[in-house]
Amino acid sequence: TLGIILSTISGPSFYALIAIGKTGIISRGYVIGSVINIALNAVLIQHMGITGAAVASALSIAIVSIILSIGLYRLTGMHPLTREYTKIIASSLIAGAFVYIISQNRLFDGPIELAGTFILVTLIYAALIVIAKGFDQEDLMIIRKARELLKSGLSSLRRVK
């Protein structure tokens, strides 16, 4: 999970490096990550089995993510951890903790309960984003445009009747 979280956080670093034409940093980062993954698998699988493979993968993914973020920062001074981005990450972690607690307590085991949990977590996440003011001006512009399109679409549906 740690590897995926760090990969998600530094995801913009990957795309920013591609955009500025520095794919060599990406290649080197993934080569280093692969070598580390192979070495960790050789050690950890013997002692921990499948869990060791998962730990090795998570660590190597995290290391690649850190390498890409450092590379982008050294080249451009940019980093993915803006104030708005950290608000979204924090909201995601809180919603994820909620899902973890529910799954550990097996409160919702059936398909109907699963759908209900999905809706509930989505609403919690949306509420956390609103409370944290995680929207920037571009997000608000998109929301306004979607609202306008929905209103115009509904009015055209009324005319069809």
Side-chain angles (χ1 to χ4, degrees), residues 1-11 13-14 25-26 28-37 40 53-71 80-81:
T1 306
L2 172 66
I4 300 302
I5 290 171
L6 281 174
S7 177
T8 302
I9 290 170
S10 70
S13 299
F14 176 86
I25 293 172
I26 297 170
R28 287 189 293 278
Y30 277 98
V31 166
I32 292 168
S34 297
V35 169
I36 289 170
N37 192 343
L40 287 173
V55 169
S57 294
L59 287 173
S60 61
I61 290 169
I63 289 168
V64 168
S65 299
I66 291 168
I67 289 170
L68 298 184
S69 292
I70 290 171
L81 297 177

Side-chain angles (χ1 to χ4, degrees), residues 95-148:
F98 182 75
V99 170
Y100 178 76
I101 290 167
I102 288 175
S103 68
Q104 291 301 308
N105 293 315
R106 300 198 185 272
L107 297 175
F108 303 114
D109 282 338
I112 294 173
E113 291 88 357
L114 181 62
T117 303
F118 174 76
I119 292 168
L120 183 62
V121 170
T122 302
L123 291 173
I124 290 171
Y125 176 70
L128 289 168
I129 293 293
V130 169
I131 290 168
K133 297 180 182 174
F135 294 114
D136 60 13
Q137 290 301 317
E138 292 164 348
D139 295 328
L140 294 173
M141 183 180 70
I142 291 170
I143 291 169
R144 283 187 207 108
K145 187 65 177 176
R147 190 180 317 151
E148 287 173 20

